[in-house]
Amino acid sequence: MPELPEVEAVVRTLRPLVLRRRIRCVHVFHPIATKPQTAGFVARAGENRRVRLLERKGKHVLLQLDRGLLTMHFRLDGQLLWFSNAREFLKRANQGENGVHVDVGLELDQGVLGFVDRRHFGRVHAWESADECPGLVGLGIDALSTEFTAPRFRELLAESRRPLKEFLLDQTRVAGIGNIYSCESLWHARLNPRRRSNTLKREEAGRLHKAIVSVLKRALECCLHPAPDFRDPAWWFQGLEKILRVYGREGKSCRRCGESILRIAQGGRSTYCCGRCQK
């Protein structure tokens, strides 16, 4: 699932392609991608609107229009594709073996942006304002924002009795962290993912805050070099596996102490941790 670094890399790469462009029309090939909104509602909301601002909030992509906004959430497997023009787009979108899967297409006055999710978990929605979007209104502090300070993070931890891993996945507390980078941050901070959040001492909370920021910034750099290639349907972020220290390494030696990495279940997700050096 794309997390904050991946979505931020997408936004930074996409910005020069769509900023100040006019959306001529919105093609909705698979209406499930706009549910619970109707395909017609989303299409009408985007038609003839100009993209005024492109930004990220948590794991959401926001296209601020001259009236209203469109939001995209990739969920598990969503991604974006770029087509040079409408002719190429209509020739390739969902056209048999030689075509590419596209759920929603934003036909701009220069180029076409396609939203793709073969498993149909991702969503494209339209809103009059960000205040109308429940997913945005409920977001906590963005993990790479200036508001995400060590003192504020300590306050949030002190208010919660949830296990650390589950706390970090709660987007209403800190927005943008997912399963991969929560595991990585806890490993770097040497903290047990099952510890209750409100049991952390001041030094431990500071260590975790520093680890979160460092892990996310390093992952973002990796996601930007090389940058996403929206022209390639098979593109995905390269080299992330080189920076991972614990995620997906069940049974392998901890790179800090040599103990075997464990995989445990927390909140329906797999958590990877070291049973020796994460306390």
Side-chain angles (χ1 to χ4, degrees), residues 10-11 13-23 49-55 61-65 72 80 82 106 108-113 230:
V10 165
V11 167
T13 307
L14 183 63
R15 190 172 283 128
L17 294 174
V18 303
L19 200 59
R20 291 182 290 277
R21 295 296 178 190
R22 183 174 63 85
I23 302 174
R49 301 263 67 95
R50 192 171 295 276
V51 180
R52 183 174 57 84
L53 182 67
L54 182 70
E55 60 182 339
V61 176
L62 278 66
L63 287 88
Q64 295 279 359
L65 309 178
M72 297 179 177
L80 300 177
W82 182 259
L106 304 183
L108 309 173
D109 51 16
Q110 184 172 318
V112 182
L113 178 65
F230 302 131

Side-chain angles (χ1 to χ4, degrees), residues 130-185:
D131 293 336
E132 287 189 353
C133 177
L136 297 178
V137 171
L139 286 179
I141 299 173
D142 190 276
L144 282 185
S145 71
T146 56
E147 297 177 357
F148 185 58
T149 62
R152 181 60 182 135
F153 186 54
R154 286 198 304 271
E155 292 175 1
L156 293 172
L157 289 167
E159 295 168 358
S160 177
R161 290 174 50 82
R162 300 181 71 181
L164 282 171
K165 171 68 180 308
E166 295 181 23
F167 171 87
L168 292 179
L169 293 181
D170 184 353
Q171 300 301 296
T172 67
R173 299 285 187 168
V174 181
I177 305 173
N179 204 38
I180 296 175
Y181 301 121
S182 58
C183 290
E184 291 295 305
S185 297

Side-chain angles (χ1 to χ4, degrees), residues 30-51:
H30 299 111
I32 191 173
T34 68
K35 286 186 176 295
Q37 298 177 346
T38 67
F41 175 80
V42 173
R44 289 190 297 273
E47 186 175 358
N48 287 319
R49 301 263 67 95
R50 192 171 295 276
V51 180

Side-chain angles (χ1 to χ4, degrees), residues 40 64 75 90 150 152 184 204 228 231 254 257:
Q64 295 279 359
R75 300 288 174 87
L90 295 174
R152 181 60 182 135
E184 291 295 305
E204 292 175 318
R231 297 284 304 175
C254 174
C257 73

